[in-house]
């Protein structure tokens, strides 16, 4: 039975190579923490949730969004859409309607309502960027003004942009 001995001798090597290949794929395809963070120097923001609290990554994204908005950093808010799939054109117009909301965001508590995440992207996008998904969040600023944010998760990181109000 030379085949059996050869198979038994090769099995550990094949397993070790498979494990090494899986580790290499994980290492190169992994996602680190989001490329944005709450700023210790920025304005303090209080974000409360109407309904179920979203996962930690969505919470971080929304907190950074509101903090940058409260600071009047519209370019920083626009940068939060950099990884959004096919959404780069939407941020070009956001400065006009976001700038007046800076004082409202800085005025006090902001309430957020986040829709459940779903993966409603076309199959080619899902194959090229696993770990994706979409959602929307509604923000109610301290003075009662409303803002909707379109969210998308690409490679495990949430991105998003503010939707222009109707009219």
């Amino acid at each position: 039975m030379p085949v059996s001995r050869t198979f038994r001798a090769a099995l550990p090597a094949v397993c070790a190579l498979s494990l090494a290949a899986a580790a290499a794929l994980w290492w190169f395809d992994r996602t680190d923490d989001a490329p944005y963070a709450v700023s210790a120097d920025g304005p303090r923001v209080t974000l409360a949730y109407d309904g179920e609290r979203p996962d930690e990554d969505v919470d971080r994204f929304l907190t950074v969004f509101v903090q940058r908005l409260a600071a009047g950093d519209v370019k920083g808010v626009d940068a939060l859409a950099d990884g959004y799939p096919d959404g780069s054109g939407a941020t070009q117009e956001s400065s006009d309607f976001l700038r007046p909301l800076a004082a409202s965001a800085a005025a006090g508590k902001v309430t957020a309502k986040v829709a459940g995440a779903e993966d409603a992207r076309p199959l080619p996008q899902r194959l090229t960027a696993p770990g994706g998904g979409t959602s929307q969040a509604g923000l109610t600023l301290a003075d009662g003004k409303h803002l909707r944010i379109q969210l998308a998760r690409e490679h495990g990181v949430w991105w998003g942009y503010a939707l222009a109000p109707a009219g």
Side-chain angles (χ1 to χ4, degrees), residues 60-165:
R60 180 184 326 139
F61 173 86
L62 291 174
T63 302
V64 170
F65 186 97
V66 172
Q67 186 182 49
R68 289 182 183 181
L69 180 60
D73 181 9
V74 176
K75 287 186 180 185
V77 170
D78 286 348
L80 294 174
D82 285 350
Y84 192 93
D86 304 327
S88 57
T91 63
Q92 303 301 321
E93 303 166 2
S94 66
S95 299
D96 295 335
F97 69 90
L98 285 177
R99 227 176 238 107
L101 296 176
S104 300
K109 182 175 82 171
V110 175
T111 305
K113 184 167 185 145
V114 181
E118 60 183 66
D119 199 346
R121 300 169 305 148
L123 181 61
Q125 275 187 350
R126 281 189 262 159
L127 294 175
T128 59
T134 60
S135 185
Q136 276 196 1
L139 299 180
T140 303
L141 305 177
D143 62 359
K145 293 181 181 170
H146 296 280
L147 184 63
R148 278 188 332 158
I149 301 173
Q150 183 64 45
L151 300 165
R153 184 175 57 221
E154 283 294 312
H155 295 289
V157 177
W158 284 98
W159 301 93
Y161 61 91
L163 297 169

